[in-house]
Short mmCIF file of all heavy atoms in Angstrom, two decimals:
data_model
loop_
_atom_site.label_atom_id
_atom_site.label_comp_id
_atom_site.label_asym_id
_atom_site.label_seq_id
_atom_site.Cartn_x
_atom_site.Cartn_y
_atom_site.Cartn_z
N VAL A 1453 0.87 -1.08 -0.03
CA VAL A 1453 0.12 0.01 0.08
C VAL A 1453 0.86 1.25 0.01
O VAL A 1453 1.82 1.38 0.85
CB VAL A 1453 -0.98 -0.10 1.18
CG1 VAL A 1453 -1.70 1.30 1.34
CG2 VAL A 1453 -1.98 -1.22 1.07
N GLY A 1454 0.72 2.19 -0.88
CA GLY A 1454 1.69 3.22 -1.16
C GLY A 1454 2.13 3.88 0.05
O GLY A 1454 3.32 4.13 0.35
N PRO A 1455 1.13 4.48 0.97
CA PRO A 1455 1.67 5.16 2.14
C PRO A 1455 1.92 4.30 3.39
O PRO A 1455 1.88 4.72 4.50
CB PRO A 1455 0.36 6.18 2.41
CG PRO A 1455 -0.59 5.87 1.39
CD PRO A 1455 -0.23 4.59 0.76
N ALA A 1456 2.35 2.97 3.04
CA ALA A 1456 2.47 2.20 4.30
C ALA A 1456 3.51 2.64 5.11
O ALA A 1456 3.49 2.45 6.37
CB ALA A 1456 3.01 0.69 3.74
N ALA A 1457 4.64 3.21 4.64
CA ALA A 1457 5.75 3.84 5.50
C ALA A 1457 5.21 4.93 6.46
O ALA A 1457 5.45 4.86 7.56
CB ALA A 1457 6.78 4.34 4.64
N GLU A 1458 4.20 5.79 5.93
CA GLU A 1458 3.71 6.71 6.68
C GLU A 1458 2.69 6.20 7.71
O GLU A 1458 2.76 6.62 8.86
CB GLU A 1458 2.91 7.77 5.75
CG GLU A 1458 3.92 8.73 4.99
CD GLU A 1458 4.16 8.11 3.55
OE1 GLU A 1458 4.07 6.73 3.38
OE2 GLU A 1458 4.52 8.89 2.65
N ILE A 1459 1.93 5.26 7.32
CA ILE A 1459 0.97 4.63 8.25
C ILE A 1459 1.73 3.94 9.38
O ILE A 1459 1.30 4.10 10.50
CB ILE A 1459 0.05 3.67 7.54
CG1 ILE A 1459 -0.84 4.36 6.39
CG2 ILE A 1459 -0.75 2.79 8.43
CD1 ILE A 1459 -1.56 3.50 5.48
N GLY A 1460 2.79 3.13 8.99
CA GLY A 1460 3.56 2.52 10.07
C GLY A 1460 4.17 3.54 11.07
O GLY A 1460 4.30 3.37 12.21
N ALA A 1461 4.87 4.51 10.46
CA ALA A 1461 5.44 5.61 11.27
C ALA A 1461 4.55 6.27 12.28
O ALA A 1461 5.00 6.73 13.35
CB ALA A 1461 6.29 6.47 10.36
N SER A 1462 3.22 6.28 11.88
CA SER A 1462 2.28 7.03 12.75
C SER A 1462 1.97 6.41 13.93
O SER A 1462 1.65 6.87 14.97
CB SER A 1462 1.10 7.16 11.88
OG SER A 1462 0.32 5.90 11.91
N GLY A 1463 2.31 5.03 14.13
CA GLY A 1463 1.98 4.26 15.22
C GLY A 1463 0.57 4.00 15.40
O GLY A 1463 0.17 3.34 16.41
N ALA A 1464 -0.21 4.32 14.40
CA ALA A 1464 -1.70 4.20 14.53
C ALA A 1464 -2.11 2.99 13.61
O ALA A 1464 -3.37 2.85 13.57
CB ALA A 1464 -2.24 5.53 14.10
N GLY A 1465 -1.32 2.41 12.87
CA GLY A 1465 -1.68 1.35 11.89
C GLY A 1465 -0.59 0.30 12.07
O GLY A 1465 0.43 0.49 12.43
N VAL A 1466 -1.02 -0.86 11.41
CA VAL A 1466 -0.06 -1.91 11.43
C VAL A 1466 0.28 -2.33 10.02
O VAL A 1466 -0.74 -2.44 9.21
CB VAL A 1466 -0.66 -3.22 12.17
CG1 VAL A 1466 0.28 -4.42 12.11
CG2 VAL A 1466 -1.12 -2.89 13.51
N VAL A 1467 1.48 -2.38 9.66
CA VAL A 1467 1.90 -2.64 8.32
C VAL A 1467 2.53 -4.22 8.38
O VAL A 1467 3.24 -4.63 9.14
CB VAL A 1467 3.03 -1.87 7.82
CG1 VAL A 1467 3.62 -2.16 6.44
CG2 VAL A 1467 2.69 -0.37 7.86
N VAL A 1468 2.03 -5.03 7.33
CA VAL A 1468 2.19 -6.55 7.40
C VAL A 1468 2.76 -6.86 6.11
O VAL A 1468 2.75 -6.26 5.00
CB VAL A 1468 0.87 -7.20 7.70
CG1 VAL A 1468 0.57 -6.90 9.05
CG2 VAL A 1468 -0.24 -6.99 6.66
N GLU A 1469 3.33 -8.16 6.13
CA GLU A 1469 3.62 -8.81 4.88
C GLU A 1469 2.32 -9.45 4.38
O GLU A 1469 1.39 -9.68 5.05
CB GLU A 1469 4.67 -9.95 5.03
CG GLU A 1469 5.97 -9.53 5.72
CD GLU A 1469 6.67 -8.56 4.84
OE1 GLU A 1469 6.54 -8.55 3.45
OE2 GLU A 1469 7.60 -7.70 5.30
N ARG A 1470 2.39 -9.70 3.03
CA ARG A 1470 1.17 -10.10 2.30
C ARG A 1470 1.03 -11.65 2.47
O ARG A 1470 1.09 -12.39 1.48
CB ARG A 1470 1.10 -9.55 0.92
CG ARG A 1470 -0.15 -9.62 0.28
CD ARG A 1470 -0.09 -8.96 -1.10
NE ARG A 1470 -1.30 -8.91 -1.83
CZ ARG A 1470 -1.45 -9.84 -2.79
NH1 ARG A 1470 -0.52 -10.66 -3.18
NH2 ARG A 1470 -2.70 -9.83 -3.46
N THR A 1471 1.07 -12.23 3.67
CA THR A 1471 0.86 -13.59 3.98
C THR A 1471 -0.17 -13.82 5.06
O THR A 1471 -0.43 -13.03 5.88
CB THR A 1471 2.15 -14.15 4.44
OG1 THR A 1471 2.55 -13.52 5.64
CG2 THR A 1471 3.36 -13.84 3.47
N PRO A 1472 -0.79 -14.97 5.01
CA PRO A 1472 -1.77 -15.25 6.11
C PRO A 1472 -1.27 -15.19 7.49
O PRO A 1472 -1.89 -14.68 8.39
CB PRO A 1472 -2.30 -16.64 5.72
CG PRO A 1472 -2.05 -16.73 4.27
CD PRO A 1472 -0.79 -16.03 3.91
N GLY A 1473 -0.05 -15.71 7.59
CA GLY A 1473 0.61 -15.68 8.86
C GLY A 1473 0.79 -14.28 9.46
O GLY A 1473 0.55 -14.10 10.56
N SER A 1474 1.37 -13.40 8.70
CA SER A 1474 1.58 -12.07 9.10
C SER A 1474 0.23 -11.23 9.36
O SER A 1474 0.21 -10.66 10.31
CB SER A 1474 2.34 -11.23 7.91
OG SER A 1474 2.63 -10.02 8.32
N ILE A 1475 -0.79 -11.53 8.48
CA ILE A 1475 -2.04 -11.01 8.77
C ILE A 1475 -2.65 -11.37 10.11
O ILE A 1475 -3.27 -10.65 10.84
CB ILE A 1475 -3.02 -11.16 7.68
CG1 ILE A 1475 -2.40 -10.43 6.35
CG2 ILE A 1475 -4.54 -10.84 7.96
CD1 ILE A 1475 -3.21 -10.58 5.10
N ALA A 1476 -2.50 -12.80 10.26
CA ALA A 1476 -3.00 -13.48 11.62
C ALA A 1476 -2.30 -12.83 12.85
O ALA A 1476 -3.05 -12.63 13.72
CB ALA A 1476 -2.82 -14.89 11.59
N ASP A 1477 -0.99 -12.64 12.67
CA ASP A 1477 -0.38 -12.00 13.84
C ASP A 1477 -0.80 -10.62 14.08
O ASP A 1477 -1.00 -10.21 15.30
CB ASP A 1477 1.09 -12.00 13.50
CG ASP A 1477 1.84 -13.25 13.55
OD1 ASP A 1477 1.28 -14.26 14.10
OD2 ASP A 1477 3.04 -13.37 13.06
N ALA A 1478 -1.10 -9.89 13.09
CA ALA A 1478 -1.58 -8.50 13.22
C ALA A 1478 -2.98 -8.50 13.79
O ALA A 1478 -3.40 -7.75 14.82
CB ALA A 1478 -1.52 -7.71 11.94
N LEU A 1479 -3.80 -9.36 13.24
CA LEU A 1479 -5.23 -9.52 13.76
C LEU A 1479 -5.24 -9.86 15.33
O LEU A 1479 -5.91 -9.34 16.15
CB LEU A 1479 -6.03 -10.49 13.03
CG LEU A 1479 -6.55 -10.09 11.60
CD1 LEU A 1479 -7.08 -11.22 10.95
CD2 LEU A 1479 -7.44 -8.88 11.69
N ALA A 1480 -4.33 -10.74 15.70
CA ALA A 1480 -4.29 -11.20 17.15
C ALA A 1480 -3.80 -10.09 17.97
O ALA A 1480 -4.38 -9.93 19.03
CB ALA A 1480 -3.36 -12.46 17.20
N SER A 1481 -2.88 -9.24 17.43
CA SER A 1481 -2.33 -8.13 18.25
C SER A 1481 -3.40 -7.15 18.44
O SER A 1481 -3.45 -6.50 19.53
CB SER A 1481 -0.97 -7.61 17.70
OG SER A 1481 -1.39 -6.91 16.50
N VAL A 1482 -4.22 -6.85 17.36
CA VAL A 1482 -5.21 -5.81 17.50
C VAL A 1482 -6.47 -6.20 18.22
O VAL A 1482 -6.95 -5.54 19.09
CB VAL A 1482 -5.55 -5.32 16.11
CG1 VAL A 1482 -6.82 -4.42 16.11
CG2 VAL A 1482 -4.47 -4.56 15.39
N LEU A 1483 -6.89 -7.45 17.95
CA LEU A 1483 -8.11 -7.87 18.48
C LEU A 1483 -8.04 -8.60 19.91
O LEU A 1483 -9.04 -8.68 20.62
CB LEU A 1483 -8.78 -8.94 17.54
CG LEU A 1483 -9.13 -8.45 16.10
CD1 LEU A 1483 -9.66 -9.58 15.31
CD2 LEU A 1483 -10.15 -7.25 16.14
N GLY A 1484 -6.78 -8.87 20.26
CA GLY A 1484 -6.59 -9.71 21.55
C GLY A 1484 -6.52 -8.77 22.73
O GLY A 1484 -6.53 -9.18 23.90
N ASN A 1485 -6.58 -7.38 22.52
CA ASN A 1485 -6.51 -6.38 23.66
C ASN A 1485 -7.50 -5.40 23.42
O ASN A 1485 -7.32 -4.41 22.58
CB ASN A 1485 -5.15 -5.88 23.88
CG ASN A 1485 -5.08 -5.07 25.14
OD1 ASN A 1485 -5.85 -4.36 25.43
ND2 ASN A 1485 -3.94 -5.31 25.92
N GLU A 1486 -8.76 -5.40 24.11
CA GLU A 1486 -9.83 -4.52 23.75
C GLU A 1486 -9.53 -3.04 24.02
O GLU A 1486 -9.73 -2.16 23.26
CB GLU A 1486 -11.03 -4.88 24.42
CG GLU A 1486 -12.27 -3.99 24.04
CD GLU A 1486 -12.71 -4.13 22.69
OE1 GLU A 1486 -12.16 -5.10 22.01
OE2 GLU A 1486 -13.74 -3.47 22.27
N SER A 1487 -8.73 -2.70 25.13
CA SER A 1487 -8.47 -1.33 25.44
C SER A 1487 -7.50 -0.89 24.42
O SER A 1487 -7.47 0.32 24.00
CB SER A 1487 -7.98 -1.22 26.82
OG SER A 1487 -6.91 -2.02 27.12
N ARG A 1488 -6.45 -1.63 24.09
CA ARG A 1488 -5.44 -1.30 23.07
C ARG A 1488 -6.03 -1.10 21.75
O ARG A 1488 -5.72 -0.14 20.96
CB ARG A 1488 -4.33 -2.34 23.01
CG ARG A 1488 -3.27 -2.03 21.96
CD ARG A 1488 -2.18 -3.07 21.92
NE ARG A 1488 -1.17 -2.83 20.81
CZ ARG A 1488 -1.26 -3.08 19.63
NH1 ARG A 1488 -2.34 -3.84 19.19
NH2 ARG A 1488 -0.29 -2.84 18.86
N ARG A 1489 -7.09 -1.91 21.43
CA ARG A 1489 -7.79 -1.76 20.17
C ARG A 1489 -8.50 -0.40 20.07
O ARG A 1489 -8.28 0.35 19.04
CB ARG A 1489 -8.79 -2.85 19.90
CG ARG A 1489 -9.47 -2.88 18.60
CD ARG A 1489 -10.53 -3.85 18.50
NE ARG A 1489 -11.67 -3.60 19.27
CZ ARG A 1489 -12.51 -2.71 18.88
NH1 ARG A 1489 -12.44 -2.02 17.63
NH2 ARG A 1489 -13.68 -2.44 19.60
N LEU A 1490 -9.14 -0.01 21.10
CA LEU A 1490 -9.85 1.20 21.12
C LEU A 1490 -8.92 2.44 21.13
O LEU A 1490 -9.23 3.35 20.39
CB LEU A 1490 -10.77 1.32 22.33
CG LEU A 1490 -11.97 0.36 22.35
CD1 LEU A 1490 -12.66 0.27 23.64
CD2 LEU A 1490 -13.01 0.67 21.19
N ALA A 1491 -7.81 2.31 21.81
CA ALA A 1491 -6.93 3.31 21.87
C ALA A 1491 -6.12 3.63 20.53
O ALA A 1491 -6.02 4.64 20.02
CB ALA A 1491 -5.83 3.12 22.88
N MET A 1492 -5.91 2.48 19.93
CA MET A 1492 -5.29 2.57 18.57
C MET A 1492 -6.31 3.15 17.57
O MET A 1492 -5.86 3.91 16.56
CB MET A 1492 -5.06 1.06 18.03
CG MET A 1492 -4.34 0.92 16.75
SD MET A 1492 -3.99 -0.80 16.29
CE MET A 1492 -3.46 -0.57 14.59
N GLY A 1493 -7.47 2.79 17.58
CA GLY A 1493 -8.48 3.50 16.69
C GLY A 1493 -8.61 4.95 16.77
O GLY A 1493 -8.72 5.73 15.81
N GLU A 1494 -8.62 5.55 18.05
CA GLU A 1494 -8.61 6.82 18.40
C GLU A 1494 -7.40 7.63 17.77
O GLU A 1494 -7.35 8.67 17.27
CB GLU A 1494 -8.89 7.17 19.78
CG GLU A 1494 -10.37 6.89 20.26
CD GLU A 1494 -11.36 7.50 19.23
OE1 GLU A 1494 -11.10 8.76 19.05
OE2 GLU A 1494 -12.29 6.72 18.69
N LYS A 1495 -6.13 6.80 18.01
CA LYS A 1495 -4.95 7.56 17.65
C LYS A 1495 -4.94 7.54 16.11
O LYS A 1495 -4.46 8.54 15.41
CB LYS A 1495 -3.75 6.67 18.13
CG LYS A 1495 -2.40 7.30 17.72
CD LYS A 1495 -1.35 6.46 18.33
CE LYS A 1495 0.13 6.95 18.11
NZ LYS A 1495 1.10 6.29 18.79
N GLY A 1496 -5.42 6.46 15.54
CA GLY A 1496 -5.49 6.37 14.07
C GLY A 1496 -6.49 7.54 13.44
O GLY A 1496 -6.07 8.27 12.39
#
């Protein structure tokens, strides 16, 4: 995704490799902690 570097540097989005494993890791990190998920959304 073109602005992936900017999204990643913002600390408000997660940049992944285009593989099921990498996507699964990101989903687990975002969905596994509800308070972190909400805070990440507001920061984004």
Side-chain angles (χ1 to χ4, degrees):
V1453 172
E1458 290 90 338
I1459 293 170
S1462 74
V1466 180
V1467 179
V1468 297
E1469 300 299 334
R1470 196 169 175 263
T1471 64
S1474 185
I1475 292 170
D1477 289 344
L1479 286 172
S1481 71
V1482 170
L1483 301 175
N1485 184 319
E1486 184 66 4
S1487 60
R1488 179 178 181 272
R1489 185 186 72 81
L1490 293 170
M1492 180 181 174
E1494 286 308 307
K1495 185 176 182 179

